[in-house]
C-alpha cells in the first residue's frame, strides 16, 4: 500500500474510534455536502471537531471565539461542551454560510449559546472584548497573523488558541501559492513569538495549539 492510501486508512481508523457525531451535527455535515459542493471540504471533520470539543471541556471554557465558521459545524461541536451560561462567538464573512448555519443553530439545544457575527472577521474583532478561554482560527489563510495578533490579548490567563490547516496539505514544505506562503509566514511568526509556547499537531491538515507563557 502506498503512503497516501495508508494515511487515508489511518484517518478512517481514527474516525471509527472517535465518538460518533450527534444526529443533528451529522445532518448538518450531510446537508453541507449536499448544498455546498466542493466547499464542503472546508469542514474540519469528525476527529478535529471532537478534539475541539474535548479542548473546550478540558480547559473548562466559558467563552469561545471562532474565526471562520462556514456552516456551523465546529461552532456547534464546541458549543455543546460549554456550560449553559457559556458563550460561543463565531465570525463569518459569507451571508450564505451564515444563513445555512443559523437554520441549524435554531434547531440545536446548544444554539442559544452561539452569537454569530456576520462580516469581515477583522472588523468584528475590533468590537469584541475578552477574555476568551479558547480561540479557534480557521478563516482566510492570508488573515491568520492578524487574527492571531487580535486574539492573543483577548485570551484568558489559561486560554488556548487552536489554529487549523497549518500543514496546508503538506504544501508548507514547498510553498508555491499565496495561501501556502501565508501559512508558512504564520507558522514562522508564532515560532518566533517569545510571548507564547506552542505545539504543532499533525492531526488532519495540521493544528497549532498556542498558549501564553
Ligand atoms: C475553512 S472554513 C471554516 C470551517 C469551520 N470552522 C468548520 O470547521 O466547519 C473558512 C470560513 O471562513 C470564512 N471566511 C473567509 N474569509 C473571512 C473573513 N475575512 N472574515 C470572516 N470569515 C471569513 C469563509 O467564508 C468560510 O466559511
Amino acid at each position: 500500500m502506498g503512503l497516501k492510501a495508508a494515511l487515508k486508512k489511518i484517518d478512517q481508523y481514527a474516525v471509527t474510534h472517535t465518538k460518533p457525531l450527534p444526529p443533528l451535527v451529522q445532518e448538518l455535515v450531510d446537508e453541507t455536502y449536499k448544498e455546498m459542493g466542493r466547499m464542503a471540504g472546508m469542514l474540519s471533520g469528525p476527529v478535529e471537531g471532537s478534539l475541539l470539543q474535548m479542548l473546550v471541556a478540558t480547559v473548562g471554557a466559558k467563552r469561545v471565539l471562532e474565526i471562520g465558521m462556514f456552516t456551523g459545524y465546529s461552532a456547534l461541536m464546541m458549543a455543546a461542551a460549554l456550560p449553559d451560561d457559556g458563550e460561543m462567538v463565531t465570525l463569518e464573512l459569507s451571508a450564505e454560510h451564515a444563513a445555512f448555519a443559523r437554520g441549524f443553530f435554531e434547531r440545536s439545544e446548544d444554539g442559544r449559546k452561539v452569537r454569530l457575527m456576520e462580516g469581515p472577521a477583522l472588523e468584528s474583532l475590533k468590537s469584541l472584548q475578552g477574555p476568551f478561554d479558547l480561540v479557534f482560527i480557521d478563516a482566510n489563510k492570508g488573515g491568520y497573523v492578524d487574527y492571531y495578533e487580535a486574539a492573543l490579548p483577548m485570551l484568558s490567563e489559561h486560554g488556548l488558541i487552536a489554529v487549523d490547516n497549518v500543514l496546508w496539505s503538506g504544501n508548507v514544505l514547498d510553498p508555491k501559492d499565496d495561501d501556502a506562503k501565508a501559512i508558512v509566514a504564520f507558522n514562522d511568526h508564532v515560532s518566533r513569538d517569545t510571548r507564547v509556547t506552542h505545539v504543532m499537531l499533525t492531526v488532519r491538515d495540521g493544528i497549532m495549539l498556542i498558549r501564553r507563557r
Side-chain angles (χ1 to χ4, degrees):
M1 192 190 304
L3 181 61
K4 226 175 170 180
L7 286 174
K8 211 171 166 190
K9 276 195 170 241
I10 289 167
D11 267 354
Q12 197 47 46
Y13 185 81
V15 171
T16 54
H17 291 78
T18 295
K19 193 179 158 210
L21 298 176
L24 186 67
V25 179
Q26 186 60 57
E27 189 184 325
L28 181 155
V29 169
D30 295 342
E31 202 61 23
T32 300
Y33 275 97
K34 218 163 90 190
E35 300 290 325
M36 298 288 169
R38 288 189 58 194
M39 276 195 295
M42 294 201 292
L43 289 166
S44 49
V47 172
E48 186 166 351
S50 295
L51 173 65
L52 290 167
Q53 189 173 82
M54 190 163 290
L55 291 175
V56 170
T58 305
V59 303
K62 281 198 88 169
R63 286 186 86 213
V64 174
L65 170 64
E66 173 176 69
I67 304 171
M69 175 192 70
F70 191 34
T71 51
Y73 166 73
S74 42
L76 266 191
M77 288 296 279
M78 290 189 279
L82 285 171
D84 281 347
D85 61 347
E87 186 183 35
M88 167 83 234
V89 179
T90 182
L91 315 183
E92 175 54 50
L93 179 66
S94 155
E96 184 195 357
H97 299 172
F100 183 107
R102 257 190 216 102
F104 281 89
F105 295 158
E106 277 159 17
R107 291 172 58 200
S108 166
E109 60 182 19
D110 300 306
R112 71 199 143 70
K113 301 175 204 166
V114 181
R115 171 150 66 108
L116 164 53
M117 297 176 74
E118 216 179 298
L122 266 185
E123 287 306 307
S124 302
L125 281 163
K126 285 181 195 156
S127 67
L128 282 172
Q129 282 195 334
F132 289 100
D133 306 301
L134 191 135
V135 177
F136 179 45
I137 300 179
D138 192 19
N140 54 315
K141 310 309 161 194
Y144 268 27
V145 171
D146 288 338
Y147 300 146
Y148 168 74
E149 287 298 333
L152 192 59
M154 292 197 278
L155 207 56
S156 64
E157 197 186 337
H158 299 292
L160 198 60
I161 301 180
V163 186
D164 200 17
N165 306 110
V166 291
L167 292 175
W168 205 236
S169 306
N171 291 311
V172 286
L173 298 179
D174 183 17
K176 290 205 164 70
D177 61 31
D178 287 350
D179 284 339
K181 287 176 186 164
I183 294 279
V184 167
F186 172 76
N187 291 338
D188 291 345
H189 182 82
V190 174
S191 299
R192 281 192 302 264
D193 190 345
T194 53
R195 298 169 295 177
V196 299
T197 180
H198 60 291
V199 55
M200 187 182 284
L201 307 178
T202 54
V203 174
R204 208 186 67 102
D205 195 24
I207 303 169
M208 181 90 89
L209 297 182
I210 305 159
R211 69 172 175 79
R212 279 212 200 88
R213 275 183 191 275

